[in-house]
Amino acid sequence: MEQKQSRNSSYDIAKGLCIILVVFGHAERGLSSSGAPPHFSLLGFADYAIYTFHMPFFFFVSGLFFSSGKNTGSIGFIAKLGKNIAYPYLFWSFLHGSLMVVMGHLGLTNTTIDFARVLEILWSPISPFWFLYALVFCQLASYELKNVQALTRLAFALVLFTLLYFTSHSVLWDIAYGLLYFTLGSVAKQYGFQDRRFGIPSFLALFVAFAISTYFSWQAQIPERLPFVSAILGIGLVVVLSQILASRENAISSILKTLGQLSVGIYVMHILAIGFARAVAVKLFHLTDMVSLLAITTFIGVVFPASVQMVAIRLGIHEWLALPASAHRRTVKPHTSQPLHRVTQSETD
């Protein structure tokens, strides 16, 4: 469940890129009264393209750096799983849900939930925490099936995903969706994908292939979770772009790297930050321009949670808040001993 210390920083940059896309996607959909922009529009295509790969990427990276703990007993594995993923899921789901109840009654959110819904988190995750919920089962399945060949597990995950598509059980389909890309990451790990390096020609080829594949899927109105080819191309595109940025070592790559290291905090807090920023911009400042609102809510949705996590790390209270110290702490205080990487170091950060 830990991530290798020697992992190239390009994967932190990749996580930084994708967590921005996650926030952007939720900010954009939150601003749309229908939950999504008009289908035949540039923003509609961008929305569709982002959603084909941004969460598959995080599951893929989780599988890519997942350690099955062959030298770790079941009790030790479960203890780490509980500390690194289950506890953050329960803590932030309960806190987020409780705040949503209050904010909903104050008219600060698009949807209103009651406290009874918060108590259902053990079997029905509150968005966006379905990722952590599914990740628990992905790691459990990978641990229990660690002696089964990765390609066999991938075939099983693909069949499971396909079968559950025809059911109405969204939670099980979320888990199967995550397991598919988590296992794909495990397969990629066997072939040394994390150690391979790519350049601009690979980026251009992937970009063109991704754009064409995604455009045809969008025009055909295929649900965003089904274009498997687009998801794989999108994952590859982000990885290659992050490697190119990492080789530059400039301000942009440094910022993205930091955001990637803080991606857990951004992920668990961004919905609340977006909702608050949108409410202030619309109700207090009467802002109605879509572009301005999208820029403001995305910026606040990224910066505010990242700042909270950095403050928590400096104050030494991050574990109480179920936030990982992550690689960010190693950058700030390289001389101190570090706790085990949490969530998506195996991912989710």
Side-chain angles (χ1 to χ4, degrees), residues 18-289:
C18 277
I19 199 62
I20 291 174
L21 293 179
V22 168
V23 176
F24 175 86
H26 286 155
E28 172 259 311
R29 290 195 172 186
L31 290 171
S32 173
S33 59
S34 64
H39 181 71
F40 293 103
S41 67
L42 180 60
L43 188 57
F45 176 66
D47 172 272
Y48 182 87
I50 289 171
Y51 274 82
T52 60
F53 75 89
H54 70 343
M55 294 315 297
F57 167 81
F58 282 106
F59 282 113
F60 175 84
V61 172
S62 298
L64 189 66
F65 292 102
F66 175 75
S67 172
S68 60
K70 292 183 178 180
N71 298 321
T72 303
S74 298
I75 295 178
F77 177 83
I78 295 298
K80 291 178 182 178
L81 184 65
K83 178 183 178 183
N84 295 347
I85 303 179
Y87 172 54
Y89 168 75
L90 292 172
F91 179 92
W92 284 101
S93 291
F94 186 82
L95 179 61
H96 177 97
S98 300
L99 290 174
M100 287 291 286
V101 171
V102 176
M103 292 174 68
H105 287 300
L106 294 175
L108 299 178
T109 59
N110 288 338
T111 57
T112 301
I113 63 173
D114 56 31
F115 196 70
R117 175 66 184 89
V118 179
L119 299 180
E120 297 174 357
I121 59 175
L122 288 178
W123 61 87
S124 180
I126 298 173
S127 179
F129 302 104
W130 69 271
F131 169 76
L132 295 178
Y133 189 84
L135 190 59
V136 170
F137 290 96
C138 289
Q139 294 208 2
L140 279 173
S142 296
Y143 178 77
E144 292 298 327
L145 300 175
K146 59 188 174 184
N147 294 323
V148 178
Q149 289 188 350
L151 284 174
T152 302
R153 285 188 277 125
L154 180 61
F156 169 77
L158 181 58
V159 171
L160 184 64
F161 174 77
T162 303
L163 291 176
L164 288 174
Y165 171 69
F166 296 101
T167 71
S168 58
H169 203 300
S170 61
V171 175
L172 290 180
W173 197 45
D174 286 344
I175 295 172
Y177 179 61
L179 183 62
L180 177 61
Y181 292 101
F182 186 95
T183 310
L184 181 64
S186 298
V187 172
K189 180 179 181 179
Q190 285 194 345
Y191 290 92
F193 179 81
Q194 68 274 24
D195 298 319
R196 297 190 180 187
R197 297 293 173 262
F198 305 92
I200 293 178
S202 296
F203 171 77
L204 294 175
L206 284 169
F207 180 81
V208 171
F210 172 74
I212 294 173
S213 172
T214 305
Y215 178 77
F216 281 110
S217 297
W218 178 60
Q219 289 283 25
Q221 300 187 42
I222 298 174
E224 61 201 24
R225 285 190 174 187
L226 297 185
F228 191 53
V229 173
S230 291
I232 294 176
L233 290 171
I235 291 169
L237 186 63
V238 171
V239 170
V240 173
L241 177 59
S242 68
Q243 290 182 358
I244 294 172
L245 292 172
S247 67
R248 269 50 175 179
E249 295 186 352
N250 52 28
I252 294 176
S253 62
S254 179
I255 291 172
L256 290 172
K257 178 182 176 181
T258 299
L259 294 178
Q261 293 165 349
L262 299 169
S263 58
V264 175
I266 298 172
Y267 188 78
V268 298
M269 287 183 272
H270 77 278
I271 293 292
L272 293 173
I274 287 172
F276 182 77
R278 181 176 62 240
V280 170
V282 173
K283 297 181 182 296
L284 187 59
F285 294 101
H286 306 290
L287 192 61
T288 58
D289 178 63

